[in-house]
């Protein structure tokens, strides 16, 4: 296929032909569109027999007028129908030795079928990488095409523009297209995402990200690039494509299934500089914590990507969901942002420094909150849903992007062991515990059934994290027997030396053998 000719092949079947034999020495047909000559085709030695009820054509269509050819394609694509006039000279001597050449003219109004659904899967992805020649970033891939119809085609490379709300987002070099008779084809593509040039361009990218993240998807307008920008395709095809716009949904493209990675495969380490928490009986359903931490993220670079991507500011606005995906608490996070710095091609460090991150339990959902906290504290298992939005400011290879209210929705199922102290502190790695010493014991009251004690203890906390808990009471049981109640009016732990007062009520059961057994085991050193 070039500016002057289109090579095509087609089989025409005649299933009800019967016993006749037809020999047609030649057919010379000219196609007209709105009075303008489009082109012509010449075929010779055509024959239909009872044994071979078909004609196989492998011919050349000669383009006589590239403008008329372009207009014909534009009309076919926009209205799904085309009106042409076909004038042909047909030699009839195959039907009778002395029959003349017949002139045939017919007006054809052809209604085209709707375009087929095409399944597209990307493979052999390379990039994206910074494009020093064109600017922006460029990625390339091979698209596997699946067509429901049996068709074949070979088309020269074309250039396309991808626009969103009138803003050209990317340009693509597509082809050559190879579609085989089975309807399966290969389509190499190079996509260049343009540098951000205007605020409207930035807003378009932000809106695309929001719709993609929400699952709504978005629609791009695809049309041919300016014909002067490339010469790999015939001029009439370039002109036609420039005037044809095809809507393409984002969900049409399916990424390979192996691009989805579990969070545990990309989070390499969590380092905590400080961690402290507050949980009071007076505010049972409004705990809060302070944390300063860094998370190292390493995404496998299977496509040799090399682009800049850093998050200057990420402010979440989220709520927690229970196992039925219903919200039970909101997360109160200050406007101090999370930052993500790039340390390698696809290696990042996310850092945060919060003085206070609080939970506000939704009234009526206290039971769901209690279940989630019990699972986290007792089983060290966080299993919750997260739903909300992010305000993000990013610096990328194509420019700066600010996105307001980017939707997020995910499920977290995380079993944790212990935190790692920043700087590789071996004390935490070796599970060193805080040192506890009793400094004072004061008997408050004694009765036949109970002894009340006030005990002052010193806690040497070697770690950079701590906690604040008020009005805490714990029951101590042995073999089903309530031995004691341990209470703390205020527990405040920070790094270094801490003084804590503990109140203990020992219960006395002189006639219960379980108490005697407890004393025997304790005196013998058994646990």
């Amino acid at each position: 296929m070039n500016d002057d000719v289109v090579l095509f092949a087609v089989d025409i079947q005649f299933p009800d032909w019967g016993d006749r034999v037809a020999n047609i020495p030649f057919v010379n047909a000219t196609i007209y569109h709105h009075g303008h000559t489009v082109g012509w085709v010449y075929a010779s030695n055509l024959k239909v027999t009872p044994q071979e009820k078909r004609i196989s054509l492998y011919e050349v269509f000669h383009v006589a007028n590239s403008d008329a050819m372009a207009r014909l394609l534009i009309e076919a694509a926009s209205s799904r129908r085309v009106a042409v006039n076909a004038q042909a000279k047909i030699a009839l001597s195959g039907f009778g030795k002395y029959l003349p050449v017949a002139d045939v003219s017919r007006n054809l109004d052809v209604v085209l079928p709707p375009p087929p659904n095409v399944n597209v899967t990307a493979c052999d992805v390379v990039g994206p990488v910074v494009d020093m020649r064109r600017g922006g970033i460029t990625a390339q891939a091979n698209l596997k095409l699946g067509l429901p119809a049996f068709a074949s085609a070979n088309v020269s490379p074309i250039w396309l523009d991808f626009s969103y709300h009138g803003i050209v987002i990317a340009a693509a070099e597509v082809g050559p297209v190879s579609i085989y008779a089975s309807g399966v084809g290969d389509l190499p593509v190079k996509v260049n995402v343009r540098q951000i040039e205007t605020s409207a361009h930035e807003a378009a990218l932000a809106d695309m990200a929001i719709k993609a993240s929400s699952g709504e998807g978005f629609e791009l307008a695809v049309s041919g690039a300016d014909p002067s920008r490339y010469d790999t395709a015939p001029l009439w095809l370039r002109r036609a494509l420039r005037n044809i716009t095809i809507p393409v949904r984002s969900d049409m493209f399916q990424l390979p299934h192996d691009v989805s990675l579990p969070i545990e495969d990309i989070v390499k380490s969590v380092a905590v500089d400080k961690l402290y928490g507050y949980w009071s009986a007076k505010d049972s359903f409004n705990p809060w914590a302070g944390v300063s931490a860094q998370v190292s993220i390493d995404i496998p670079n299977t496509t040799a990507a090399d682009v800049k991507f850093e998050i200057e500011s990420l402010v979440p606005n989220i709520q927690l969901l229970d196992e039925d995906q219903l919200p039970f608490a909101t997360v109160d996070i200050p406007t101090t942002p999370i930052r993500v710095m790039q340390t390698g091609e696809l290696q990042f460090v996310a850092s945060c420094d919060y003085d206070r991150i609080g939970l506000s339990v939704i009234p009526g959902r206290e039971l769901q909150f209690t279940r989630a906290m019990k699972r986290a504290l007792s089983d060290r298992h966080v299993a919750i849903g997260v739903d909300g939005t992010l305000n993000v400011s990013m610096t990328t290879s194509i420019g700066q992007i600010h996105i307001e209210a980017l939707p997020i929705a995910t499920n977290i199922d995380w079993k944790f062991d212990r935190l790692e102290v920043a700087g590789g502190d071996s004390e935490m790695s070796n599970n060193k515990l805080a040192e506890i010493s009793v400094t004072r014991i004061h008997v408050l009251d004694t009765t036949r059934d109970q002894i009340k004690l006030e005990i002052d203890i010193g806690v040497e906390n070697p770690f950079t994290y701590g906690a604040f808990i008020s009005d805490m009471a714990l029951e101590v049981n042995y073999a089903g027997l309530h031995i004691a109640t341990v209470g703390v009016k205020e527990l405040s732990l920070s790094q270094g030396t801490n003084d804590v007062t503990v109140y203990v009520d020992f219960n006395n059961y002189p006639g219960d053998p379980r108490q005697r057994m407890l004393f025997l085991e304790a005196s013998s050193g058994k646990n």
Side-chain angles (χ1 to χ4, degrees):
M1 183 169 63
N2 56 39
D3 285 349
D4 301 319
V5 299
V6 177
L7 182 64
F8 70 94
V10 62
D11 278 352
I12 304 174
Q13 303 282 344
F14 301 95
D16 301 323
W17 182 257
D19 297 331
R20 296 167 296 167
V21 176
N23 291 294
I24 304 175
F26 72 86
V27 175
N28 189 356
T30 303
I31 303 298
Y32 297 87
H33 182 248
H34 297 313
H36 299 278
T37 303
V38 176
W40 56 275
V41 61
Y42 179 86
S44 61
N45 299 321
L46 307 179
K47 187 175 183 178
V48 183
T49 68
Q51 294 77 27
E52 191 71 16
K53 299 179 181 182
R54 67 175 186 173
I55 296 176
S56 296
L57 298 177
Y58 187 80
E59 307 295 342
V60 174
F61 181 80
H62 299 265
V63 180
N65 186 324
S66 60
D67 289 337
M69 182 70 165
R71 289 192 294 269
L72 175 63
L73 293 178
I74 294 170
E75 178 182 305
S78 59
S79 64
R80 307 304 307 168
R81 67 188 305 153
V82 62
V84 297
N85 173 260
Q87 298 184 16
K89 292 182 178 295
I90 304 175
L92 301 178
S93 57
F95 296 93
K97 183 176 180 179
Y98 299 105
L99 290 177
V101 173
D103 290 320
V104 178
S105 178
R106 174 168 291 186
N107 292 320
L108 303 174
D109 189 358
V110 181
V111 177
L112 301 178
N117 293 322
V118 182
N119 293 322
V120 181
T121 303
C123 59
D124 303 326
V125 179
V126 177
V129 297
V130 175
D131 196 319
M132 303 302 295
R133 182 173 62 89
R134 290 183 287 188
I137 58 176
T138 295
Q140 63 184 43
N142 186 50
L143 303 184
K144 294 293 185 180
L145 308 178
L147 292 149
F150 287 91
S152 62
N154 287 284
V155 183
S156 302
I158 58 175
W159 287 20
L160 302 174
D161 284 340
F162 291 77
S163 301
Y164 184 74
H165 293 176
I167 305 295
V168 178
I169 303 298
E173 181 181 346
V174 181
V177 184
S178 299
I179 301 175
Y180 312 108
S182 60
V184 177
D186 292 307
L187 180 62
V189 176
K190 288 183 179 180
V191 179
N192 174 252
V193 180
R194 296 175 54 213
Q195 196 80 14
I196 298 174
E197 298 175 347
T198 64
S199 58
H201 189 169
E202 179 189 359
L205 291 175
D207 193 55
M208 290 168 61
I210 290 171
K211 289 185 175 178
S213 182
S214 68
E216 177 183 351
F218 55 86
E219 187 173 274
L220 294 174
V222 182
S223 60
D226 190 306
S228 63
R229 284 168 47 190
Y230 66 108
D231 59 3
T232 54
L235 180 60
W236 51 266
L237 179 58
R238 285 178 278 155
R239 288 176 174 173
L241 290 174
R242 184 61 176 169
N243 290 277
I244 296 173
T245 299
I246 300 174
V248 175
R249 292 282 305 172
S250 58
D251 51 15
M252 173 181 176
F253 299 96
Q254 300 175 2
L255 291 175
H257 296 294
D258 57 0
V259 301
S260 179
L261 294 171
I263 189 170
E264 58 267 21
D265 289 347
I266 63 175
V267 175
K268 299 306 178 183
S269 65
V270 179
V272 178
D273 292 318
K274 65 177 182 181
L275 174 64
Y276 55 88
Y278 173 88
W279 198 354
S280 169
K282 296 177 181 178
D283 298 306
S284 301
F285 301 107
N286 297 101
W288 59 265
V291 61
S292 177
Q294 299 84 40
V295 179
S296 296
I297 301 170
D298 189 354
I299 302 174
N301 192 359
T302 58
T303 63
D306 186 9
V307 293
K308 181 179 181 181
F309 179 84
E310 293 188 344
I311 297 179
E312 297 177 349
S313 174
L314 187 151
V315 179
N317 177 19
I318 57 179
Q319 58 184 3
L320 304 183
L321 311 179
D322 62 13
E323 58 271 17
D324 296 322
Q325 298 298 299
L326 297 174
F328 66 84
T330 59
V331 182
D332 304 321
I333 300 179
T335 56
T336 305
I338 298 172
R339 288 182 169 85
V340 179
M341 303 297 293
Q342 189 170 14
T343 58
E345 290 177 345
L346 289 182
Q347 296 171 332
F348 307 90
V349 172
S351 60
C352 67
D353 187 3
Y354 290 129
D355 287 332
R356 180 171 179 139
I357 302 175
L359 284 182
S360 294
V361 179
I362 298 172
R365 306 288 291 166
E366 291 83 2
L367 178 59
Q368 287 74 14
F369 167 78
T370 303
R371 289 173 179 170
M373 294 303 296
K374 179 179 181 297
R375 188 186 300 118
L377 296 174
S378 301
D379 303 333
R380 294 178 299 181
H381 184 196
V382 177
I384 56 175
V386 177
D387 183 39
T389 60
L390 302 174
N391 295 337
V392 187
S393 292
M394 298 179 292
T395 299
T396 72
S397 297
I398 62 172
Q400 289 190 319
I401 306 174
H402 181 72
I403 306 174
E404 290 280 353
L406 178 70
I408 58 168
T410 186
N411 291 313
I412 297 176
D413 193 337
W414 183 30
K415 182 83 173 181
F416 59 91
D417 292 321
R418 59 181 182 272
L419 296 174
E420 176 186 336
V421 176
D425 193 328
S426 60
E427 292 179 339
M428 191 61 170
S429 301
N430 294 330
N431 281 331
K432 181 176 179 180
L433 298 176
E435 296 179 0
I436 300 175
S437 59
V438 178
T439 60
R440 185 180 71 94
I441 299 178
H442 177 59
V443 178
L444 298 177
D445 189 23
T446 59
T447 65
R448 181 181 180 276
D449 299 323
Q450 193 176 69
I451 301 175
K452 294 181 178 290
L453 301 178
E454 181 183 79
I455 304 174
D456 292 339
I457 59 176
V459 180
E460 187 67 28
N461 180 14
F463 310 122
T464 55
Y465 62 90
F468 179 89
I469 302 175
S470 70
D471 300 319
M472 179 181 71
L474 302 174
E475 286 189 1
V476 180
N477 293 278
Y478 170 79
L481 191 66
H482 181 192
I483 298 299
T485 299
V486 180
V488 178
K489 290 184 178 180
E490 184 176 284
L491 173 63
S492 178
L493 291 178
S494 58
Q495 187 178 23
T497 303
N498 302 267
D499 295 323
V500 179
T501 300
V502 178
Y503 298 89
V504 182
D505 294 344
F506 283 107
N507 298 319
N508 184 29
Y509 304 94
D512 196 310
R514 289 174 294 178
Q515 178 170 285
R516 292 194 296 272
M517 181 61 68
L518 172 63
F519 289 155
L520 288 174
E521 291 185 352
S523 61
S524 65
K526 293 181 64 176
N527 292 322

